[in-house]
Amino acid sequence: MTFDTLIKNGIVVTATDTYPSDIGISNGKIVAIGQAMPAESATHSVDAQGNYVFPGGIDVHTHLDMPFGGTKSADDFESGTKAAAFGGTTTLIDFAIQYKGQTLRTALDTWWKKADGKAAIDYGFHCIVTDLPDARLEEMKSLVHEGITSFKLFMAYPGVFMVEDGLIFKAMLKASETGSLICMHAENGGAIDVIVRRALAEGKTAPKYHALTRPTTAEAEATARAIALAEMAGAPVYIVHLSCNEALEKVREARDRGLPTYAETCPQYLYLSLENFDVPGFEGAKYVFTPPLREKWHQEKLWAGLAADHLQVVSTDHCPFCYKEQKELGIGDFTKIPNGGPGIENRLSLVFTGGVQKKRFSVNRFVELVSTTPAKLFGLYPRKGTIAIGSDADLVIFDPNVEDVISAKTHHMRVDYSMFEGIHIKGVPRQVFSRGQLVIDNNKFVGRVGQGEFLKRQLYNSP
Ligand code: URP
Ligand code: ZN
Ligand code: ZN
């Protein structure tokens, strides 16, 4: 047998197994897994001695080229997918937004155009639904046929994205009928709005008040409501960017009752806290995203939730805005700070460092959290999310011993600060393959812009 590429001497890691093996790649697929395969059997041979070989990371929550808060997220599909690849992510699922009055199809067409010819790794879309009169419900079905098998709804951001419970319930019924999955931004937007207005009236305008006006109870209440609506509709539900222990408890209780309830958290909630707002001047704006940062003790609860499978996925919610001119739009009024932070590049190293190096969970659980479960939940498995014969050769050669410090000076995201500035990591991607093509080689981008393909995803399947 001959191969385009042979990865030799690595430690292959999947969600279930860890073993030394070579991997043969042809036509973008994994075609052989075995030991002592001769280097001469391949056009290119790569030595992975002393390194792990992981399935490529899958980030199911990104916002590239997204209009928001009077501006646009700073990474487009070119810079964002390249930065993702630098960090070992080979697939992402972004959000196509349906604005009020638009069809769902318009949302999809708009985001297809944004990504077309620009992506360096493969990508799919969820659809954010903001306007769903009964006549448009059937449109969910036609999007599912196009491979858009998940929809995001918001219980927050009144007047922008927020939808009411009746619409949520109808969408869940349709999701259950069509085999798709509802992703929920769970915060009680109505109550938060009242608290925000009161704070502004009291002259509390600094960035930290974004966090202080969004209590954990508002997230827990909405999480419980989303779970209850999904239970009534007989639908699964996926809670996005879960940030606090109170919401985690709601997910854990639902899962204990056997409900198909899933949740992701993000590195910012695992590493950052309200203490990050103790910075001079307006700099706290760098940490304004939604849900907000919480008291530090929540971090350990979230790590434990990941270890115990109360949380199933770590995504980034990458939604970058530069500090200069973008975050600065909110000087004097925290409600005008564009919400979101950059993280697409840092996820694997941060989760590996905090999870595996700190012995909170195994390397297999790490793979499950950043690749396998996202693939299973969002209709990409086994094409993505594992190392198996026939799977796409999306692979990361990962050196667990290299230490580094995260900094905006060295990152590849198109944003002028890092949320994780100064954080030490141990474990970095050395080489990254997307469908067999080397895209990152020792911190150099060697891929091709436009090589990323749109992924028509399968229906939701319980992992
Ligand atoms: O602050 C955030 N998370 N911005 C992105 C939009 C969202 O709610 O996911
Ligand atoms: Zn959200
Ligand atoms: Zn988001």
Side-chain angles (χ1 to χ4, degrees):
M1 201 166 189
T2 57
F3 309 113
D4 299 336
T5 303
L6 185 62
I7 298 176
K8 285 200 62 65
N9 308 317
I11 308 289
V12 170
V13 186
T14 67
T16 50
D17 299 302
T18 308
Y19 56 97
S21 191
D22 304 337
I23 299 175
I25 301 169
S26 278
N27 297 320
K29 298 277 184 195
I30 296 169
V31 293
I33 300 173
Q35 288 181 344
M37 295 202 259
E40 307 77 63
S41 60
T43 313
H44 304 284
S45 177
V46 179
D47 188 10
Q49 184 79 47
N51 294 279
Y52 287 128
V53 185
F54 297 143
I58 301 178
D59 189 347
V60 296
H61 192 150
T62 68
H63 301 278
L64 300 176
D65 204 354
M66 170 182 159
F68 197 36
T71 181
K72 199 163 74 165
S73 61
D75 274 314
D76 64 8
F77 276 82
E78 179 174 334
S79 63
T81 55
K82 278 185 179 171
F86 272 104
T89 288
T90 53
T91 299
L92 55 83
I93 309 183
D94 206 83
F95 292 87
I97 305 175
Q98 175 224 22
Y99 294 101
K100 294 200 193 312
Q102 286 184 341
T103 63
L104 303 183
R105 181 72 214 198
T106 305
L108 180 56
D109 287 343
T110 308
W111 257 260
W112 258 336
K113 276 199 205 103
K114 286 176 191 275
D116 192 34
K118 283 190 156 183
I121 57 168
D122 292 349
Y123 59 93
F125 294 120
H126 316 274
C127 183
I128 289 177
V129 177
T130 63
D131 187 8
L132 200 62
D134 287 352
R136 200 168 284 139
L137 270 170
E138 276 309 296
E139 246 210 292
M140 282 176 70
K141 199 169 175 178
S142 67
L143 256 71
V144 168
H145 287 142
E146 302 265 15
I148 313 302
T149 51
S150 43
F151 300 88
K152 182 178 177 186
L153 301 174
F154 285 81
M155 299 168 113
Y157 301 123
V160 186
F161 293 134
M162 186 167 133
V163 290
E164 47 84 31
D165 290 354
L167 188 153
I168 293 172
F169 187 57
K170 283 186 206 167
M172 284 174 164
L173 288 168
K174 195 45 106 180
S176 131
E177 181 194 316
T178 56
S180 53
L181 180 59
I182 296 295
C183 304
M184 189 64 76
H185 180 129
E187 284 183 298
N188 186 319
I192 288 169
D193 204 36
V194 174
I195 303 170
V196 165
R197 281 170 204 285
R198 196 174 57 196
L200 288 176
E202 289 169 359
K204 295 172 175 164
T205 60
K208 70 175 174 191
Y209 291 106
H210 172 81
L212 298 178
T213 53
R214 308 185 86 88
T216 54
T217 313
E219 186 177 345
E221 182 280 326
T223 303
R225 187 159 32 103
I227 292 167
L229 290 166
E231 184 176 11
M232 286 191 280
V237 65
Y238 178 88
I239 308 296
V240 295
H241 47 43
L242 186 145
S243 74
C244 64
N245 187 54
E246 289 84 337
L248 174 61
E249 282 297 301
K250 304 296 180 195
V251 172
R252 188 183 59 73
E253 283 164 17
R255 291 177 61 79
D256 282 352
R257 288 201 292 120
L259 293 175
T261 303
Y262 310 97
E264 62 175 28
T265 190
C266 312
Q268 50 272 37
Y269 305 118
L270 296 166
Y271 277 86
L272 309 178
S273 72
L274 283 175
E275 291 171 18
N276 287 84
F277 288 104
D278 296 336
V279 282
F282 185 66
E283 296 226 5
K286 294 175 178 175
Y287 307 99
V288 168
F289 36 79
T290 312
L293 290 174
R294 305 301 189 183
E295 288 173 7
K296 209 172 173 61
W297 63 269
H298 290 271
Q299 293 172 2
E300 211 43 63
K301 297 286 184 187
L302 296 178
W303 282 113
L306 291 170
D309 200 32
H310 303 323
L311 295 166
Q312 292 69 46
V313 173
V314 182
S315 70
T316 61
D317 193 9
H318 178 75
C319 187
F321 298 101
C322 287
Y323 179 68
K324 286 263 151 238
E325 292 179 13
Q326 292 194 296
K327 290 287 187 183
E328 283 178 348
L329 291 169
I331 292 177
D333 181 349
F334 70 85
T335 64
K336 304 228 159 52
I337 301 170
N339 286 199
I344 207 167
E345 186 170 350
N346 307 121
R347 184 178 62 122
L348 266 63
S349 287
L350 285 170
V351 179
F352 187 83
T353 301
V356 183
Q357 301 285 22
K358 294 251 167 83
K359 303 201 181 319
R360 288 178 169 115
F361 46 73
S362 71
V363 70
N364 309 95
R365 179 65 180 155
F366 163 79
V367 166
E368 198 167 33
L369 289 166
V370 301
S371 181
T372 312
T373 302
K376 287 183 174 174
L377 278 171
F378 290 99
L380 294 168
Y381 190 84
R383 176 174 172 191
K384 311 275 190 195
T386 192
I387 296 178
I389 305 289
S391 293
D392 282 358
D394 290 358
L395 297 165
V396 181
I397 299 179
F398 191 90
D399 190 331
N401 295 311
V402 171
E403 298 187 37
D404 204 357
V405 177
I406 295 178
S407 175
K409 292 196 185 81
T410 48
H411 76 199
H412 302 87
M413 298 174 282
R414 202 157 61 193
V415 60
D416 58 2
Y417 76 97
S418 171
M419 295 195 276
F420 304 111
E421 188 75 34
I423 290 180
H424 289 248
I425 48 170
K426 188 170 180 195
V428 298
R430 203 159 65 76
Q431 274 151 330
V432 179
F433 295 84
S434 166
R435 276 183 286 106
Q437 295 297 312
L438 187 62
V439 288
I440 300 297
D441 189 11
N442 289 305
N443 213 26
K444 258 205 211 83
F445 179 72
V446 295
R448 188 172 55 79
V449 169
Q451 114 119 15
E453 284 179 3
F454 169 72
L455 296 165
K456 196 168 169 186
R457 293 182 289 120
Q458 306 296 306
L459 299 185
Y460 154 80
N461 219 331
S462 174

